[in-house]
C-alpha cells in the first residue's frame, strides 16, 4: 500500500493545482469509446514487467497529464465546423491582467469590436474565525471530556476530545487543528502566533461568499454542558474575525455580485477577479483576427513542445532508453514530417522537432490569397497532434522499457477484465 501511496502523493503534488476544463466533462458515448480503446489495447498486449518500476509511476502520470493538456488545446480548436473557424476563434483579453483575467469559451453573439469596462469594488472572501491567543506552555482548561459542534450549510459535525492534566494549551490547540483538518468538513484549521509567542486557532472556509439568506458559511458552538461552554469561551474559536462576503463589481456601470471570484458571464466569458479598490478597473474585449489566430496557434505549439520536452527529459534519465527515445521520435515525427508546410506559414520547425511561431510570417500567411491552404495545414497539424495525444493517453505504458514474458496466442485473444485499470488508474507496484 505504501507504493500506491507514493503514486497518490506524486499525483496530488503535481496536478492538484490544475484547473478543471470544460473538456474534462464527457458524455456516456465518449466514455464508452475510451473504454473500448482500453479493452482493445489490453486484448493485444503481451504479458510484461516494467524494467524500471521506480520511475515508471512518475513517467506514466506525467505522460497522462501532459497529453491531457494537449488534448484540451486540440479540443478547444475543434469546436467549429469550418477550417477557418477552428483557428479564427475569439480570444478575450484584459487590458489590466493584474486586476482581472478573461477567457472566452466560444459560441455567443459577441463581436470582435465589443468591449466592456469592469471595475471591482471588492473581492469575494471566505469566512475566518480566530480564537483567543493562549500561552503555549501552561494549561488554561480544566481536565475532562469536551464536546463542540461545527455547523456548515449542509451538515452539523460533533467533535469530542479529552484534556489531561499533563497537557498544555499548545498541545490542546494542535490536537484540535489536526482533528478538524482530518475531518474534511469544508474548512482549514491552523495555528497562528502573536508577538508574545502565544497561539490561537484560525479557521478559514474553503469557499468564498455567503450562503443562502446571506448567512455565514459555518458556525462553531459548544454543547449545552457548562464545562464545554467554559472551554469554548477560553478557546474563542466562535469569534468571526473576518466574515465571508460576495464579490462586488460593475460592468459598464451596472452593479453585480458573485459568491466567487471566478465565474462565467453570459455562458461565454470566464472572468477571474484578482484585485479590488479604486484602481481596480480593466477593459475586457476581444483580439482581432490575426492576434486571435496567432494566440491559438501559439497555445497549440506550446502544448506540443511541452510534450516533446517531457519525452526528451525521460529519454535521458537512464542508459536504457530505447522505448523512451521512441516516444520522443514518435512525437517529433509529426512536425518533422510537415516541416516544409509548417515553415511556409510561419511555424518554424527545428531539427529536433520543436515548433516556434514566427508572428510576421504567420500574419502574412493568414492575410494572403492562400488562406485556405494555411488553415488546411494548421488543421492537419492539429489533428495529427490530437490523434497521437489520444493514443498516448490511452496507453502510456507503451513507451516504457519492458521485459516481455509471454505473447498472447494468435486468433484467440480475450480481454482480461481487471487489467484495463493499469491504463486508467495506473496503480503500479513492484509486481507490475
Amino acid at each position: 500500500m505504501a507504493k500506491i501511496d507514493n503514486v497518490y502523493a506524486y499525483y496530488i503534488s503535481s496536478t492538484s493545482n490544475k484547473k478543471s476544463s470544460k473538456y474534462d466533462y464527457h458524455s456516456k458515448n465518449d466514455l464508452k469509446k475510451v473504454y473500448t480503446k482500453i479493452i482493445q489495447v489490453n486484448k493485444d498486449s503481451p504479458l510484461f514487467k516494467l524494467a524500471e518500476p521506480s520511475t515508471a509511476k512518475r513517467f506514466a502520470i506525467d505522460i497522462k497529464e501532459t497529453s491531457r493538456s494537449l488534448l484540451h488545446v486540440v479540443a478547444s480548436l475543434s469546436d467549429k465546423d469550418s477550417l477557418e473557424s477552428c483557428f479564427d476563434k475569439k480570444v478575450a483579453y484584459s487590458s489590466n491582467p493584474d486586476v482581472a483575467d478573461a477567457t472566452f469559451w466560444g459560441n455567443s453573439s459577441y463581436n470582435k469590436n465589443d468591449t466592456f469596462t469592469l471595475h471591482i469594488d471588492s473581492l469575494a472572501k471566505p469566512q475566518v474565525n480566530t480564537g483567543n491567543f493562549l500561552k503555549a506552555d501552561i494549561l488554561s482548561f480544566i481536565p475532562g471530556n469536551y464536546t463542540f459542534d461545527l455547523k456548515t450549510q449542509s451538515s452539523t459535525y460533533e467533535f469530542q476530545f479529552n484534556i489531561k492534566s499533563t497537557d498544555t494549551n499548545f498541545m490542546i490547540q494542535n490536537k484540535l487543528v489536526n482533528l478538524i483538518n482530518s475531518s474534511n468538513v469544508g474548512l482549514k484549521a491552523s495555528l497562528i502566533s502573536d508577538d508574545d509567542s502565544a497561539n490561537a486557532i484560525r479557521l478559514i472556509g474553503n469557499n468564498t461568499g455567503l450562503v443562502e439568506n446571506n448567512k455565514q458559511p459555518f458556525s462553531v458552538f459548544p454543547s449545552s454542558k457548562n464545562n464545554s461552554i467554559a472551554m469554548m469561551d477560553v478557546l474563542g474559536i466562535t469569534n468571526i474575525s473576518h466574515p465571508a462576503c460576495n464579490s462586488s463589481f460593475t460592468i459598464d456601470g451596472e452593479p453585480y455580485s458573485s459568491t466567487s471570484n471566478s465565474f462565467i458571464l453570459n455562458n461565454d466569458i470566464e472572468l477571474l477577479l484578482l484585485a479590488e479598490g479604486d484602481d481596480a478597473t480593466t477593459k475586457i474585449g476581444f483580439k482581432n483576427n490575426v492576434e486571435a489566430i496567432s494566440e491559438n496557434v501559439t497555445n497549440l505549439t506550446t502544448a506540443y513542445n511541452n510534450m516533446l520536452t517531457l519525452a526528451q527529459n525521460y529519454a535521458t534519465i537512464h542508459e536504457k532508453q530505447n522505448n523512451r527515445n521512441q516516444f520522443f521520435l514518435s512525437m517529433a515525427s509529426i512536425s518533422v514530417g510537415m516541416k516544409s508546410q509548417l515553415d511556409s506559414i510561419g511555424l518554424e520547425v527545428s531539427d529536433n522537432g520543436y515548433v516556434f511561431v514566427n508572428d510576421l510570417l504567420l500574419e502574412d500567411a493568414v492575410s494572403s490569397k492562400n488562406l485556405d491552404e494555411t488553415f488546411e495545414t494548421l488543421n492537419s497539424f492539429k489533428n495529427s497532434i490530437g490523434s497521437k495525444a489520444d493514443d498516448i493517453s490511452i496507453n502510456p505504458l507503451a513507451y516504457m522499457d519492458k521485459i516481455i514474458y509471454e505473447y498472447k496466442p494468435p486468433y484467440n485473444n480475450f480481454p482480461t477484465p481487471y487489467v484495463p485499470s493499469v491504463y486508467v488508474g495506473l496503480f503500479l507496484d513492484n509486481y507490475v
Side-chain angles (χ1 to χ4, degrees):
M1 191 64 185
K3 300 292 184 183
I4 293 180
D5 285 345
N6 291 337
V7 180
Y8 288 151
Y10 178 71
Y11 181 79
I12 291 173
S13 65
S14 61
T15 65
S16 60
N17 60 342
K18 293 186 178 180
K19 191 169 66 172
S20 294
S21 161
K22 72 174 184 177
Y23 303 110
D24 286 316
Y25 301 94
H26 307 283
S27 66
K28 290 183 179 179
N29 288 335
D30 293 332
L31 297 176
K32 187 175 181 180
K33 290 178 183 177
V34 172
Y35 177 75
T36 301
K37 290 179 181 178
I38 293 172
I39 290 295
Q40 188 60 46
V41 168
N42 161 243
K43 183 179 178 181
D44 297 332
S45 294
L47 177 66
F48 62 84
K49 288 181 68 176
L50 296 175
E52 300 164 2
S54 60
T55 57
K57 306 159 191 159
R58 293 192 174 195
F59 186 41
I61 289 173
D62 286 345
I63 290 179
K64 292 276 284 187
E65 286 304 306
T66 307
S67 63
R68 169 176 168 260
S69 300
L70 186 51
L71 285 170
H72 284 179
V73 176
V74 171
S76 72
L77 298 174
S78 304
D79 287 342
K80 304 293 185 179
D81 296 327
S82 67
L83 294 176
E84 293 85 352
S85 61
C86 287
F87 284 92
D88 187 20
K89 181 182 177 183
K90 298 176 186 176
V91 173
Y93 73 88
S94 170
S95 63
N96 192 342
D98 292 331
V99 170
D101 183 52
T103 304
F104 184 71
W105 289 108
N107 299 328
S108 108
S109 58
Y110 284 111
N111 296 315
K112 293 289 177 69
N113 295 325
D114 288 343
T115 61
F116 59 85
T117 300
L118 171 68
H119 176 76
I120 306 169
D121 295 306
S122 61
L123 295 172
K125 298 179 180 66
Q127 177 184 342
V128 180
N129 283 25
T130 304
N132 298 323
F133 286 90
L134 306 175
K135 292 184 177 180
D137 54 355
I138 66 171
L139 181 62
S140 302
F141 305 91
I142 299 175
N145 296 318
Y146 294 92
T147 303
F148 70 92
D149 293 330
L150 193 154
K151 184 177 181 181
T152 65
Q153 183 182 8
S154 58
S155 302
T156 299
Y157 305 88
E158 182 182 84
F159 293 89
Q160 298 179 352
F161 65 100
N162 177 262
I163 298 178
K164 302 176 183 178
S165 59
T166 55
D167 288 335
T168 63
N169 290 335
F170 175 79
M171 295 169 62
I172 299 302
Q173 290 171 313
N174 195 54
K175 179 191 297 185
L176 292 176
V177 165
N178 293 332
L179 179 63
I180 294 172
N181 286 336
S182 63
S183 300
N184 296 319
V185 294
L187 53 89
K188 181 179 180 180
S190 62
L191 273 184
I192 58 174
S193 302
D194 63 9
D195 295 336
D196 297 326
S197 298
N199 301 305
I201 295 177
R202 173 170 288 175
L203 307 177
I204 302 178
N206 290 345
N207 299 319
T208 59
L210 301 170
V211 296
E212 292 181 0
N213 300 320
N214 291 327
K215 292 182 178 179
Q216 293 298 312
F218 66 89
S219 58
V220 184
F221 49 93
S223 67
S224 58
K225 295 181 179 180
N226 290 333
N227 67 335
S228 292
I229 296 174
M231 176 273 301
M232 193 60 71
D233 288 339
V234 174
L235 201 59
I237 58 174
T238 59
N239 302 322
I240 299 177
S241 52
H242 298 286
C245 63
N246 297 335
S247 63
S248 175
F249 56 95
T250 61
I251 296 178
D252 287 339
E254 291 292 324
Y256 294 90
S257 67
S258 171
T259 58
S260 172
N261 292 314
S262 178
F263 54 89
I264 296 179
L265 184 67
N266 295 335
N267 297 319
D268 287 313
I269 301 178
E270 181 180 4
L271 294 177
L272 176 62
L273 309 184
L274 300 172
E276 62 184 4
D278 295 337
D279 297 328
T281 300
T282 185
K283 181 179 290 185
I284 305 297
F286 298 98
K287 297 184 177 181
N288 60 41
N289 288 21
V290 173
E291 288 180 313
I293 293 171
S294 178
E295 182 158 332
N296 287 320
V297 171
T298 300
N299 289 339
L300 179 63
T301 57
T302 299
Y304 176 70
N305 289 341
N306 287 342
M307 182 66 87
L308 288 180
T309 299
L310 173 67
Q312 196 171 46
N313 289 343
Y314 275 98
T316 57
I317 288 180
H318 295 280
E319 294 179 0
K320 296 180 179 179
Q321 50 179 279
N322 292 335
N323 282 329
R324 288 176 179 171
N325 201 38
Q326 176 191 353
F327 175 34
F328 177 80
L329 294 175
S330 177
M331 285 300 304
S333 65
I334 298 174
S335 56
V336 172
M338 296 183 64
K339 178 176 173 57
S340 60
Q341 301 101 298
L342 294 174
D343 284 346
S344 67
I345 62 171
L347 273 65
E348 299 174 347
V349 181
S350 66
D351 293 339
N352 56 5
Y354 283 83
V355 182
F356 303 96
V357 179
N358 185 317
D359 291 326
L360 292 178
L361 292 179
L362 180 60
E363 182 177 349
D364 289 341
V366 299
S367 304
S368 69
K369 296 180 180 179
N370 300 322
L371 184 60
D372 289 343
E373 294 180 11
T374 298
F375 282 119
E376 187 75 44
T377 299
L378 288 173
N379 277 280
S380 178
F381 182 51
K382 176 202 67 166
N383 293 337
S384 297
I385 291 175
S387 178
K388 177 61 69 175
D390 187 53
D391 290 342
I392 291 172
S393 67
I394 292 296
N395 186 15
L397 304 186
Y399 300 96
M400 299 181 189
D401 292 325
K402 299 182 286 290
I403 301 172
I404 304 298
Y405 278 85
E406 182 181 4
Y407 286 97
K408 292 185 177 180
Y411 313 116
N412 195 25
N413 290 356
F414 299 96
T416 308
Y418 297 105
V419 175
S421 65
V422 172
Y423 305 101
V424 181
L426 298 173
F427 295 159
L428 310 179
D429 60 22
N430 286 339
Y431 298 100
V432 180

